[in-house]
């Protein structure tokens, strides 16, 4: 694979979760503030050192409102919303901004209280005035599960993927979650358990679907020079890529291919590595079938082979590609936008501080975020223990 130009050495120097699970005693802003204090402490920095701010997906709030709350007046800021992929997307943009000298210390933050507020939207309304309202809502499709279910059915039809193979993804995530004291769901889980759970949207069952929780986190990025102040091992950003295609499922050219085919290609090229070099994979596991597509699109296996790949136990503890090592969105935490937590877990694995779920000798990790209604967006980040 040809190596693409990479900006000068950029590091993640702090990573921290907000309060997780069901959070009734904090606001979204205060949750980010708590995580920011912890992440900046790891980085050996303070809020006054932050000169770039990235956030999205906090209701109507963006970088201006978050900056006001934190007392940060950034030289560089962004509040773009590409759904759950936004945070890997922000790592890419922060890397470029730092390399260009537009900032030195970037804070990427997010929090959601969707479980406590019970405000997650479940369906397109006919009154939305959107294309989805005109061309999708009349058929009763719910999002995002309806769109993922269409993709799962297509993959099963086209490649012979089975329900048991989808269930193997949920089982692998739960095996990791049982090693994580912060995980929401830690009870034992078998393929039979997944298969026996209620059908939600054919062919996806309840345990093929992610959690609905409160949570979030903060990532701090900086130059190599500022990284020298870090209290913990800085983790180098080797490469990043992003892409997006359609928003509406009716415009999706292929339900078995995601924009990750482009974002992954670009991230690996910038990093100068291939899929075989990756020690830890943190995919956006909001639904089990999505993980199969990301494995294929990023090149961990050939198109149509991901079902057999996961059925062999390769994602689980002791497998050849440890994935969803926190327990992922399926068992650990899913606060509406999971991408920030994928980065935090990747950093912890590379620092060697993941406790019972630590992957031995982990040197390269990939965090892969996705978002939108029908695999609309994707961002991929390659991280390395320097």
């Amino acid at each position: 694979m040809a190596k693409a130009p990479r900006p000068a050495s950029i590091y993640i120097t702090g990573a921290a979760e907000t309060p997780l699970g069901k959070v009734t005693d904090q606001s979204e802003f205060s949750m980010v503030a708590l995580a920011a204090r912890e992440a900046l402490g790891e980085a050996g920095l303070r809020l006054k050192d932050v000169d770039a701010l990235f956030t999205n997906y906090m209701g109507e709030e963006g970088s201006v409102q978050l900056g006001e709350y934190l007392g940060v007046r950034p030289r560089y800021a962004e509040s773009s919303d590409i759904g759950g992929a936004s945070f890997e997307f922000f790592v890419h943009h922060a890397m470029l901004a730092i390399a260009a000298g537009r900032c030195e210390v970037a804070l990427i933050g997010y929090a959601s209280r969707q479980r406590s507020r019970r405000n997650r939207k479940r369906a397109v309304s006919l009154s939305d005035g959107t294309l989805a309202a005109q061309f999708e809502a009349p058929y009763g499709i719910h999002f995002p599960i309806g769109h993922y279910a269409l993709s799962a059915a297509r993959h099963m039809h086209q490649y012979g993927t089975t329900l048991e193979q989808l269930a193997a993804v949920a089982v692998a995530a739960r095996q990791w979650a049982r090693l994580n004291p912060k995980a929401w769901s830690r009870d034992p889980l078998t393929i039979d358990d997944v298969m026996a759970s209620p059908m939600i949207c054919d062919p996806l069952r309840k345990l093929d679907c992610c959690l609905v929780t409160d949570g979030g986190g903060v990532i701090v990025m900086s130059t190599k020079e500022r990284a020298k102040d870090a209290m913990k091992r800085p983790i180098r950003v080797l490469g990043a890529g992003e892409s997006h295609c359609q928003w509406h499922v009716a415009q999706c050219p292929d339900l078995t291919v995601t924009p990750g085919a482009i974002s992954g290609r670009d991230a690996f090229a910038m990093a100068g590595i291939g899929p075989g070099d990756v020690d830890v994979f943190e995919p956006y596991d909001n639904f089990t079938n999505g993980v199969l597509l990301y494995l294929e699109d990023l090149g961990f296996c050939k198109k149509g082979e991901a079902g057999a790949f996961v059925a062999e136990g390769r994602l689980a503890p002791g497998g050849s590609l440890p994935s969803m090592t926190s327990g992922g969105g399926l068992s650990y935490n899913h606060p509406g936008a999971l991408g920030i937590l994928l980065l935090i877990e990747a950093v912890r694995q590379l620092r060697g501080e993941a406790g019972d779920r630590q992957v031995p000798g982990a040197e390269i990790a990939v965090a892969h975020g996705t978002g939108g209604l029908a695999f609309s967006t994707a961002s991929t980040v390659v991280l390395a223990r320097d």
Side-chain angles (χ1 to χ4, degrees):
M1 181 181 295
K3 186 173 180 179
R6 181 169 70 235
S9 299
I10 309 297
Y11 291 85
I12 293 178
T13 54
E17 300 146 312
T18 68
L20 304 174
K22 187 171 183 180
V23 182
T24 59
D25 59 345
Q26 301 284 339
S27 69
E28 288 81 355
F29 285 147
S30 66
M31 289 167 70
V32 172
L34 290 170
R37 182 169 60 186
E38 182 179 346
L40 287 165
E42 291 184 352
L45 300 168
R46 293 179 287 180
L47 277 169
K48 71 176 185 179
D49 298 309
V50 175
D51 58 358
L53 195 59
F54 297 79
T55 192
N56 90 321
Y57 217 59
M58 293 175 64
E60 297 300 317
E61 314 299 349
S63 63
V64 177
Q65 293 87 348
L66 180 60
E68 178 184 66
Y69 188 90
L70 296 177
V72 172
R73 294 188 176 185
R75 293 195 293 143
Y76 193 97
E78 186 172 351
S79 302
S80 300
D81 181 5
I82 61 168
S86 296
F87 307 98
E88 286 72 23
F89 174 88
F90 288 154
V91 168
H92 187 196
H93 290 204
M95 174 203 295
L96 298 176
I98 293 170
R102 302 309 301 266
C103 56
E104 291 186 352
V105 176
L107 188 149
I108 302 170
Y110 167 75
S112 165
R113 294 178 60 235
Q114 63 167 9
R115 184 178 186 88
S116 296
R117 292 183 183 275
R118 303 178 65 87
N119 63 350
R120 184 171 180 87
K121 194 174 181 180
R122 297 183 180 181
V124 175
S125 168
L126 289 171
S127 63
D128 283 351
T130 64
L131 288 175
Q134 296 179 59
F135 300 113
E136 296 177 8
Y139 296 93
I141 193 168
H142 283 233
F143 76 89
I145 187 171
H147 306 81
Y148 280 83
L150 286 173
S151 175
R154 182 63 192 179
H155 203 275
M156 294 172 70
H157 168 77
Q158 192 162 324
Y159 298 113
T161 306
T162 68
L163 295 173
E164 290 82 359
Q165 290 170 342
L166 296 182
V169 175
V171 170
R174 184 63 60 85
Q175 289 174 327
W176 286 110
R178 286 175 58 76
L179 303 174
N180 184 357
K182 292 185 177 181
W184 179 267
S185 298
R186 301 183 67 208
D187 293 335
L189 184 69
T190 67
I191 288 177
D192 287 343
D193 292 333
V194 179
M195 298 288 291
S197 64
M199 182 70 73
I200 302 298
C201 190
D202 194 9
L204 298 179
R205 298 178 179 275
K206 180 179 180 179
L207 292 176
D208 286 303
C209 305
C210 64
L211 304 169
V212 177
T213 62
D214 302 338
V218 165
I219 291 288
V220 176
M221 295 175 61
S222 71
T223 61
K224 184 176 183 178
E225 188 63 30
R226 298 304 295 266
K228 294 176 181 178
D229 297 327
M231 306 302 291
K232 293 190 174 184
R233 179 193 291 270
I235 299 302
R236 189 174 181 184
V237 182
L238 280 189
E242 64 187 69
S243 183
H244 60 74
C245 49
Q246 82 296 321
W247 185 253
H248 299 94
V249 68
Q251 300 299 314
C252 186
D254 188 334
L255 285 168
T256 69
V257 178
T258 76
I262 296 173
S263 68
R265 177 200 67 195
D266 291 350
F268 286 145
M270 183 184 290
I273 69 161
D277 299 311
V278 177
D279 299 309
V280 180
F281 182 42
E282 306 296 349
Y284 198 110
D285 60 325
N286 50 352
F287 298 97
T288 54
N289 66 300
V291 174
L292 302 189
L293 299 191
Y294 313 145
L295 290 167
E296 294 172 353
D297 289 346
L298 270 64
F300 293 109
C301 59
K302 294 181 180 179
K303 182 56 68 177
E305 296 183 357
F309 186 93
V310 301
E312 294 171 358
R314 297 198 186 193
L315 309 188
S320 61
L321 183 65
S323 303
M324 307 170 292
T325 57
S326 65
L330 291 165
S331 286
Y332 155 62
N333 189 274
H334 193 288
L338 179 64
I340 191 79
L341 295 174
L342 305 179
L343 292 160
I344 292 169
E345 177 65 12
V347 166
R348 289 176 175 165
Q349 286 287 342
L350 295 178
R351 286 176 175 170
E353 58 183 29
D356 291 341
R357 65 186 188 279
Q358 179 64 48
V359 176
E363 295 185 356
I364 295 179
V366 169
H368 180 67
T370 59
L373 302 187
F375 309 107
S376 304
T377 70
S379 295
T380 309
V381 172
V382 181
L383 301 174
R385 188 174 67 197
D386 210 4

